[in-house]
Amino acid sequence: MKITGVELRRIAMPLVAPFRTSFGTETTRDVLLVRVVTPEAEGWGECVAMSQPLYSSEYVDGAAEVIRRFLLPALPDEVDAQAVARHLAPIKGHRMAKAALETAILDAQLRANGESFGQFLGAAVDRVPCGVSVGIMDTVPQLLDAVEGYLEEGYVRIKLKIEPGWDVEPVRAVRERFGEDLLLQVDANAAYTLADARHLARLDAFGLLLIEQPLANDDLVQHAQLAAQLQTPICLDESIESAEHAAAAISLGACSIINIKPGRTGGYLEARRIHDLCRAHGVAVWCGGMLETGLGRAANVALAALPGFTLPGDTSASRRYYATDITEPFELAEGHLSVPKGPGLGVEPIPSILEEVTTSSEWIPA
Ligand code: OSB
Ligand code: MG
């Protein structure tokens, strides 16, 4: 495909409620959208980098800069989505920026060919069960109200964000209130160290599905040591940026479950490789989220429909994040979201809504 040009568009999406994690509080999602224009079709990619480099080293301004300054110039005149990662490989890191660009090119290519993301990736089902990630709250009663609301909406799994000082008590309270059948897991976003192993073992009493990323992202060996001291399965998020990382983590015994986020891994193709590897090793995977708009969500839901995604993902409905999404909203039905069927992502930004939330836009001719 020949690329005519690329638009980098920044949008500001107010969240319906502040989202607090161990690394910070988000009130507005600052999103970089990449629109690739070709003679045959246009494609969209949503960059999952956040405003500040707190989840990982990437951040939105940096992603825009690396795309315009290094990634676009590295692409040949004619490009195939399958070859994008190879062209971009000499540029180290910046996987979220690379993922956004590759996704936009893949979307354009699939739209041109009339194939959906789900078909292309190998979706095995037409709807996926959905969980919800619940931020850190000021009080336990507030948390219980939030969880109750999500369960009433039909979410099939609850994930609680934890940090030192907000772990055993909120988990105990949610377990006691909603019973032992509730699928419950926690996410520490790297807030602990191996010295906290005995404290974290107290969570074993609550029958959690998993504990996500308890230790720092480069602590693979420490995660393996922690795994030996916990009954709760360890799931890695931040640590896994590639299939190579996944292979290393699995062979070290650092995790028994992986959260796959295509943005973090450099795109949907690498995400699928991680899925394939985990499936071959009997390691369960689930689809993570980064508070995506409908564009990123569409592709995540397609990915979550692959056969190795055996646990519910953080693929929540649009309204969990945004009062008005930039696409037709994703809505929960019996705790599931439908995999879009149309070509490419199968969803489009609604022009008037997109205009309203746009804070800047830049056209880069090829
Ligand atoms: O660690 O999974 C995470 C959101 C932003 C950054 C990191 C994470 C998250 C979430 C929310 O947990 C997932 C979602 O619902 O999109
Ligand atoms: Mg996480």
Side-chain angles (χ1 to χ4, degrees):
M1 268 198 328
K2 194 166 161 30
I3 295 176
T4 313
V6 172
E7 181 189 49
L8 299 183
R9 185 184 280 257
R10 284 283 279 276
I11 63 174
M13 299 282 289
L15 289 163
V16 292
F19 183 64
R20 179 169 158 209
T21 64
S22 62
F23 61 80
T25 304
E26 214 66 26
T27 53
T28 300
R29 189 72 172 95
D30 173 13
V31 186
L32 171 67
L33 297 177
V34 177
R35 180 171 64 103
V36 164
V37 179
T38 77
E40 297 84 22
E42 293 187 5
W44 291 92
E46 174 170 342
C47 183
V48 302
M50 308 187 88
S51 313
Q52 299 174 285
L54 300 176
Y55 164 80
S56 72
S57 62
E58 292 189 77
Y59 61 103
V60 194
D61 288 340
E65 169 72 357
V66 85
I67 291 173
R68 83 166 70 80
R69 186 153 163 212
F70 298 109
L71 303 186
L72 291 175
L75 293 179
D77 290 343
E78 291 272 338
V79 68
D80 182 275
Q82 300 270 10
V84 168
R86 191 159 40 78
H87 293 298
L88 303 182
I91 295 139
K92 306 296 182 220
H94 299 283
R95 291 177 192 267
M96 292 176 177
K98 290 176 178 178
L101 181 57
E102 184 192 83
T103 303
I105 293 170
L106 179 58
D107 184 33
Q109 200 167 309
L110 293 176
R111 286 185 201 259
N113 297 340
E115 193 181 6
S116 72
F117 258 72
Q119 286 170 313
F120 171 78
L121 292 171
V125 290
D126 56 19
R127 58 174 209 160
V128 300
C130 300
V132 59
S133 175
V134 187
I136 294 166
M137 309 258 163
D138 291 334
T139 67
V140 167
Q142 230 182 314
L143 175 71
L144 294 176
D145 284 350
V147 170
E148 181 173 41
Y150 291 130
L151 292 175
E152 278 167 6
E153 286 180 52
Y155 287 103
V156 303
R157 181 227 70 190
I158 297 291
K159 160 170 142 182
L160 303 182
K161 290 292 193 178
I162 59 167
E163 66 181 2
W166 181 265
D167 44 32
V168 176
E169 287 326 309
V171 168
R172 181 199 311 281
V174 168
R175 184 53 93 202
E176 279 176 2
R177 167 77 178 274
F178 300 103
E180 60 185 28
D181 290 342
L182 173 69
L183 300 183
L184 183 62
Q185 63 193 53
V186 294
D187 185 1
N189 287 109
Y192 297 88
T193 72
L194 192 54
D196 298 310
R198 286 182 53 193
H199 177 71
L200 292 173
R202 294 177 61 199
L203 294 171
D204 285 343
F206 305 107
L208 301 177
L209 285 170
L210 59 91
I211 176 169
E212 181 177 345
Q213 198 70 41
L215 312 180
N217 69 345
D218 46 6
D219 281 356
L220 277 193
V221 171
Q222 290 87 336
H223 275 107
Q225 291 169 347
L226 180 63
Q229 297 178 60
L230 299 186
Q231 276 159 27
T232 308
I234 291 182
C235 168
L236 292 177
D237 171 355
E238 284 91 327
S239 291
I240 309 297
E241 295 186 353
S242 64
E244 287 77 9
H245 289 174
I250 294 167
S251 46
L252 273 172
C255 66
S256 48
I257 301 170
I258 289 179
N259 164 342
I260 301 185
K261 286 181 186 168
R264 193 192 66 220
T265 66
Y268 288 85
L269 298 171
E270 188 68 11
R272 183 170 61 182
R273 263 177 230 120
I274 297 174
H275 161 271
D276 295 350
L277 173 92
C278 288
R279 198 162 178 234
H281 285 81
V283 169
V285 304
W286 54 280
C287 183
M290 294 288 287
L291 315 176
E292 285 89 346
T293 73
L295 287 174
R297 191 161 309 284
N300 284 352
V301 170
L303 180 73
L306 268 60
F309 284 78
T310 53
L311 291 167
D314 283 344
T315 46
S316 306
S318 295
R319 61 178 284 191
R320 182 260 171 269
Y321 313 91
Y322 307 112
T324 311
D325 207 336
I326 54 170
T327 62
E328 281 302 310
F330 278 81
E331 283 168 2
L332 218 57
E334 297 164 345
H336 289 65
L337 290 185
S338 295
V339 179
K341 288 194 166 59
L345 296 173
V347 298
E348 249 87 39
I350 297 163
S352 57
I353 298 176
L354 187 61
E355 275 320 311
E356 266 172 47
V357 295
T358 296
T359 54
S360 68
S361 120
E362 171 184 355
W363 173 252
I364 305 170

